[in-house]
Amino acid sequence: MPDLKKYNSKRNFKNTPEPIGKKKRKKSKQLKFVIQHHIARKDHYDLRLEWKGVYVSFAIPKGLSFDTKDKRLAIHVEDHPLSYGSFEGIIPKGEYGGGTVMLFDFGYWSLTEDENVDFEKGPIKFILKGKRLKGTWSLIHMDKNNWLIIKEKDEFVNKINIKDFNTSIKTGRTMDEISDIKNITLTSGEKIIFKKEKISKQEIFEYYKLISKRMMPFLENRLISTVRSPNGIEKFYMKHLNNQSKDLGKKKIKNKHEQSTNYYYFKNENGLLSEVQMNSYEYHIWGSKVTNLKKPDILVFDLDPDEGLSIKKVREGVKDLKKVLDNLNLKSYLKTSGGKGYHIYVPLQMSSFKECEKIAKDITEVLILNYPDKYTTNIRKENRKNKIFIDYFRNKFGATSVCPYSLRLKKKAPISCPISWKELDKIKPDSITIKNIKERLKKKDPWANFFDNL
Ligand code: MN
């Protein structure tokens, strides 16, 4: 009978990020499999086949072969929980299996015929339907925990050498990139940052790790300001960071009074993760890159509705503005703010912030000319009654807007999340949160081609 006692007894869950072993009770319609490339004391591939609520697991030193002449050793190891199927990362040195784990492949598997398979005796003939690996193999028992895994004849024979794949099927990272990330030691991961929602620092760190591939194109090499909140209660708006990471760059900027101060930017995702470790959870970006600091490439409109204005009116505002942009042949992208409004980004290479501000102002004025009772650029609250404030001031030199995919330090832990124009009527400005965003990530990235338009 499969069970997870051995799995749990081998691991100290205080020290390892691996999931605690719990058996799944409900029967699955389709059986899952996963292969993890694991560089520990020895380099090997772990093949895990779902069976009776757990993953029956084999460590295969040379990995699966597509050549029917190869007979490769497969060592039957302890059953793993199904939650292990999404694990990728670092098992700390000194812990059981200490090393790097990369998700190599996943999908479904099935037996070729007999349903009454015995994982103690074998033989087991099975078919994998993965993203990378497809076809039929057999597991033949030799002695003790030692089995042989052999490719069976089918149309996939000799099609693939698994050594040709050196990246994660889930995150696209190489082993080295995975190792780099986890070298950032997260401390106080258990600390709760969102009290009501019970969201810990660890959860926020994991979120940024997961989202970094999509977020970094907007975040890296742009000057930033962040919101730090070490305890989830107080907030500190940071422009001048005190984080000593090598993955963080600084740039001297002169203010009106000709005094210069240091501003910061991330060189890569490790910079971001090191800043999460410093308790920064919200990220705001400049409209230009440090490599071209005076020439912005993003035009931004922040639609901020008066309190009590209906969501219908807010959406109407977004559509009105899009129409103006469409008429100017400007391709625009929509994201939720995480608050009450939406943000529109336009990728556009401009020659100066003066030009950027002027374009934004002209567009906003066209909108107000057409609908004087619906929109305003007047910042005073009493002049914004029943109107939407179009904040184009974010296009000035030194101004920032909240970065796509940034978490917001607001109720329910919302994300400022890119959405497609079709989703405008379905998604509220604060309804995508750190709790539900994962579902969305399985779908196509609505902003995938953003910088192609430049
Ligand atoms: Mn292993």
Side-chain angles (χ1 to χ4, degrees), residues 72-96:
R72 291 189 173 172
L73 179 67
I75 304 154
H76 191 180
V77 297
E78 77 276 14
D79 296 337
H80 279 51
L82 294 181
S83 53
Y84 209 89
S86 59
F87 178 70
E88 174 170 288
I90 300 278
I91 302 170
K93 246 191 185 155
E95 296 302 312
Y96 178 70

Side-chain angles (χ1 to χ4, degrees), residues 11 36-40 42 44-46 48 58-59 77 80 84 91 96-97 101:
R11 290 166 175 80
Q36 279 147 324
H37 189 180
H38 184 182
I39 299 184
K42 282 188 178 144
H44 62 277
Y45 293 79
D46 288 302
R48 310 189 194 283
F58 294 86
V77 297
H80 279 51
Y84 209 89
I91 302 170
Y96 178 70
V101 177

Side-chain angles (χ1 to χ4, degrees), residues 1-38:
M1 246 339 239
D3 86 84
L4 296 168
K5 275 196 204 105
K6 229 188 203 167
Y7 172 91
N8 283 329
S9 71
K10 280 173 181 282
R11 290 166 175 80
N12 181 348
F13 293 101
K14 271 198 188 127
N15 299 335
T16 179
E18 297 164 279
I20 295 174
K22 279 186 201 127
K23 220 161 139 175
K24 190 184 156 197
R25 284 177 197 281
K26 248 174 72 190
K27 223 180 147 194
S28 304
K29 277 198 200 122
Q30 264 185 303
L31 296 169
K32 287 181 181 160
F33 86 91
V34 60
I35 295 172
Q36 279 147 324
H37 189 180
H38 184 182

Side-chain angles (χ1 to χ4, degrees), residues 234-251:
E234 293 162 289
K235 289 184 196 172
F236 303 94
Y237 295 83
M238 311 282 298
K239 279 187 175 176
H240 314 295
L241 304 181
N242 50 4
N243 173 352
Q244 296 294 324
S245 165
K246 67 170 170 28
D247 305 302
L248 209 63
K250 61 182 167 186
K251 186 110 194 157

